């Protein structure tokens, strides 16, 4: 009986060791202005207010002279709602949870992009959603937000 218990514990521990350890990731607070600090992995959040909002657009532009592509998520409120995000170069994605937020039906196609493959939305509940931004290759990002109207800005370098 002890042997079976030890084997089960060993199996459980070995599986959790192989899982991704988000507790070891660096956690960054999203600033209210561009700082040109690019990172390729880790957790970020804005510690934002508990406000209800709606995503009205996701747009992007690439500037060869500046050397990065800018993705902007436009909100209908003056400030952005509470967000938590994670960038994973292993999966070539940014995962983003946006709380107390809905998605308008007219958020259209993302179009062609230098670094972004696609943007997918996953409504979690009636008022919260998750987003995935899938990249074509490993990238570095600089994340910040702007007020009046609220915008989350993700600058991407390849």
């Amino acid at each position: 009986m002890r042997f079976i218990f030890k084997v089960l514990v060993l199996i459980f521990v070995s599986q959790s060791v192989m899982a991704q350890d988000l507790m070891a990731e660096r956690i960054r607070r999203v600033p209210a202005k561009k700082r040109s600090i690019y990172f390729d992995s880790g957790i970020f959040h804005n510690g934002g207010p508990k406000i209800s909002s709606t995503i009205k657009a996701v747009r992007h532009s690439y500037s060869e002279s500046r050397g990065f592509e800018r993705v902007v998520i436009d909100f209908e409120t003056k400030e952005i709602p509470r967000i938590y995000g994670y960038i994973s170069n292993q999966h070539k994605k940014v995962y983003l949870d946006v709380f107390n937020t809905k998605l308008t039906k007219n958020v259209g196609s993302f179009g062609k992009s230098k670094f972004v493959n696609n943007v997918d939305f996953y409504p979690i509940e009636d008022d919260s959603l998750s987003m995935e931004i899938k990249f074509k290759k490993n990238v570095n990002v600089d994340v910040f937000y702007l007020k009046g109207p609220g915008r989350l800005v993700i600058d991407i370098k390849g």
Side-chain angles (χ1 to χ4, degrees):
M1 186 68 163
R2 279 187 170 175
F3 176 75
I4 293 174
F5 178 74
K6 288 180 181 180
V7 169
L8 289 175
V9 168
L10 182 62
I11 290 172
F12 176 76
V13 170
S14 67
Q15 287 179 347
S16 65
V17 167
M18 294 176 148
Q20 188 170 7
D21 184 12
L22 291 178
M23 298 302 288
E25 293 285 346
R26 179 167 178 199
I27 300 173
R28 295 172 173 83
R29 188 168 183 114
V30 177
K33 63 181 180 178
K34 182 166 178 61
R35 295 187 351 198
S36 295
I37 300 174
Y38 289 83
F39 56 97
D40 64 357
S41 65
I43 299 168
F44 57 92
H45 71 95
N46 69 333
K50 279 191 163 183
I51 59 172
S52 294
S53 189
T54 302
I55 294 177
K56 62 181 187 176
V58 178
R59 53 194 168 91
H60 68 98
S61 66
Y62 175 72
S63 171
E64 193 169 335
S65 64
R66 293 186 298 180
F68 61 82
E69 180 171 5
R70 176 164 285 172
V71 174
V72 180
I73 302 167
D74 293 315
F75 295 91
E76 288 185 340
T77 50
K78 290 184 180 181
E79 295 184 53
I80 67 170
R82 185 171 294 170
I83 59 139
Y84 290 96
Y86 174 67
I87 180 168
S88 169
N89 262 345
Q90 177 184 0
H91 297 107
K92 295 188 253 182
K93 290 182 183 180
V94 166
Y95 301 95
L96 190 64
D97 291 329
V98 189
F99 298 94
N100 298 318
T101 300
K102 295 180 181 180
L103 185 65
T104 60
K105 292 181 181 180
N106 61 353
V107 173
S109 171
F110 189 73
K112 292 184 179 181
S113 166
K114 179 159 179 78
F115 296 114
V116 178
N117 239 353
N118 59 321
V119 177
D120 295 317
F121 296 94
Y122 303 99
I124 298 173
E125 296 177 358
D126 289 341
D127 63 349
S128 295
L129 60 107
S130 285
M131 292 176 59
E132 285 184 5
I133 301 173
K134 176 108 170 96
F135 301 114
K136 296 177 180 177
K137 62 181 184 176
N138 287 336
V139 297
N140 294 315
V141 299
D142 178 23
V143 181
F144 61 99
Y145 67 91
L146 301 169
K147 293 182 181 181
R151 292 156 286 166
L152 181 66
V153 182
I154 303 171
D155 287 346
I156 308 162
K157 281 187 174 184

